[in-house]
Amino acid sequence: MDLPVKNPSDTQTLTDSFGRQITYLRLSVTDRCDLRCRYCMAEDMVFLPKSDVLTLEEMLELSEAFMARGVRRIRLTGGEPLVRKNILWLVRALGQHVENGLLDEVTLTTNGTQLPHLAANLYEAGVRRINVSLDTLDEDQFKAISRRDKLDTVLAGIEAAQAAGLRVKINTVAMRHFNDADIPDLVDWAIGQGLDITLIETMPLGDVEGGRENSYLPLTEVKTTLNKRFDLEPSGYRTGGPARYYSVAGSQAKLGLITPLTNNFCDGCNRVRVTCTGRIYMCLGQDDHIDLRAALRSPEKRTALNTALDKAMGLKPRGHDFAMSDGKMIGKVNRHMSQTGG
């Protein structure tokens, strides 16, 4: 990808006003998905026109601009990233940067439905680990949460990923009245499969049917339940992400807890998110953003991108505003998770 000659700021690492170096980019490649998980999107989502979405070539160009400023890890997200047409082209291109040492890794978060036929291709392209969203092993509850009947496909996808050599971590959103009773069995299953699992509190992102307060399940409550079945010990393991980990006695598995409402996790944030339209969000829980697409399509794109990235660093907040107050979620942002990038 030919870009204009570098200017001096190209080599300056992305550092926010709190001294945190940004080394991790979560890049959404599409807002579309083949599931309709109720904590992520509405049943009748209106998706973006394809003309608004960056091309894969532009996404690679943007990724390389971040790499030049110190980003070492890139996670592809969505929507569901594997429904993006020709997505393997981008994965292979980023995988080449892993091979040549410019990136530490390229990973992705997926709902698993496309893994039965794409897992081996992902490994061949340079991916070595993935996150798979799975909220229950109960078929009826899976349909209620995702609004689709694809549990068997997801489980087959996880099996295909492991067979291909991919390390799989399960992501589970905890929801009262939906999977609260299923979580201990899901954790036990993950341990038996040799998989790490991370539990996530639902966040006030976009309007959903029924309201998020009705399904909010604090992980303090979940952990109390899990302690009755598993011997959990706090772990010093860290990935640079928001999860706090526990070891599970008798296994090599790690249990992660992401608690945006019961315990703010932002102090060590090393990441930014870029949407499929080229907007950079410096914080998942804030609406402030910068339009990188305009910079990417400008005549002096390298200078424009660096200027935009520097401005973004100045706007990155210390942390999000998510919280519970008198039984209500506060700090809500209007965009759905699928629009931001999971």
Side-chain angles (χ1 to χ4, degrees):
M1 190 71 62
D2 294 329
L3 289 174
V5 177
K6 290 184 178 182
N7 63 42
S9 67
D10 282 342
T11 58
Q12 295 175 0
T13 57
L14 292 174
T15 305
D16 70 13
S17 59
F18 303 99
R20 298 173 297 193
Q21 186 174 341
I22 306 305
T23 58
Y24 182 15
L25 168 65
R26 298 178 71 103
L27 175 62
S28 175
V29 298
T30 181
D31 67 325
R32 296 171 186 267
C33 188
D34 53 351
L35 300 182
R36 294 292 184 273
C37 296
R38 58 180 60 248
Y39 53 81
C40 184
M41 61 177 69
E43 169 69 56
D44 299 316
M45 284 293 291
V46 177
F47 294 112
L48 293 166
K50 292 182 179 179
S51 58
D52 287 354
V53 177
L54 297 180
T55 67
L56 293 177
E57 290 80 6
E58 287 175 323
M59 290 181 177
L60 176 59
E61 201 169 356
L62 196 55
S63 297
E64 291 170 340
F66 275 95
M67 290 160 51
R69 299 292 301 271
V71 163
R72 299 292 304 179
R73 297 169 56 207
I74 295 179
R75 178 176 295 277
L76 302 181
T77 68
E80 169 48 48
L82 295 181
V83 301
R84 175 72 190 257
K85 187 177 180 181
N86 296 327
I87 187 59
L88 287 174
W89 179 88
L90 179 59
V91 178
R92 291 190 181 101
L94 293 174
Q96 285 295 308
H97 287 311
V98 175
E99 188 173 324
N100 64 29
L102 295 178
L103 272 181
D104 292 335
E105 67 172 352
V106 54
T107 62
L108 61 89
T109 295
T110 174
N111 63 29
T113 61
Q114 305 301 310
L115 288 175
H117 64 279
L118 287 180
N121 300 98
L122 290 171
Y123 188 91
E124 177 271 334
V127 177
R128 292 296 177 265
R129 67 185 185 96
I130 60 174
N131 291 354
V132 177
S133 300
L134 178 63
D135 300 313
T136 180
L137 295 173
D138 182 275
E139 187 174 356
D140 290 335
Q141 289 292 9
F142 185 92
K143 285 189 287 187
I145 294 169
S146 70
R147 302 185 178 104
R148 298 293 186 270
D149 185 9
K150 292 193 176 183
L151 177 60
D152 288 345
T153 303
V154 172
L155 294 178
I158 292 170
E159 184 177 348
Q162 291 182 288
L166 294 168
R167 199 169 93 222
V168 177
K169 179 172 76 71
I170 303 299
N171 284 348
T172 300
V173 176
M175 290 167 287
R176 194 181 302 280
H177 309 308
F178 286 97
N179 66 349
D180 42 349
D182 302 337
I183 288 175
D185 286 342
L186 183 58
V187 172
D188 191 54
W189 171 83
I191 292 170
Q193 297 294 315
L195 307 174
D196 294 338
I197 181 170
T198 294
L199 308 180
I200 307 168
E201 289 178 343
T202 187
M203 291 173 268
L205 293 165
D207 290 324
V208 294
E209 181 182 347
R212 296 187 184 277
E213 287 86 355
N214 295 331
S215 61
Y216 171 61
L217 179 62
L219 290 188
T220 49
E221 183 177 324
V222 175
K223 185 173 179 295
T224 297
T225 300
L226 293 177
N227 281 332
K228 297 175 182 177
R229 184 162 172 179
F230 305 98
D231 186 2
L232 303 177
E233 289 292 336
S235 169
Y237 177 77
R238 294 289 184 270
T239 65
R244 295 297 175 262
Y245 289 91
Y246 295 81
S247 59
V248 184
S251 79
Q252 298 298 311
K254 292 183 284 294
L255 169 69
L257 303 181
I258 296 180
T259 54
L261 292 170
T262 57
N263 183 24
N264 188 295
F265 50 57
C266 301
D267 283 350
C269 183
N270 67 342
R271 67 194 58 198
V272 292
R273 286 173 165 81
V274 174
T275 70
C276 60
T277 61
R279 285 184 171 186
I280 179 174
Y281 284 92
M282 291 65 72
C283 176
L284 180 62
Q286 302 281 353
D287 278 322
D288 286 343
H289 62 271
I290 300 291
D291 181 11
L292 299 182
R293 183 174 62 183
L296 188 62
R297 295 177 179 177
S298 69
E300 299 294 332
K301 64 178 73 177
R302 179 65 80 180
T303 299
L305 278 172
N306 277 310
T307 299
L309 291 175
D310 290 339
K311 183 177 180 181
M313 290 302 96
L315 293 174
K316 185 170 173 62
R318 182 179 289 278
H320 62 69
D321 295 327
F322 297 152
M324 290 294 292
S325 177
D326 296 325
K328 296 292 183 181
M329 287 187 180
I330 60 175
K332 176 184 173 181
V333 295
N334 290 325
R335 65 188 187 279
H336 287 87
M337 189 68 167
S338 61
Q339 295 170 321
T340 310

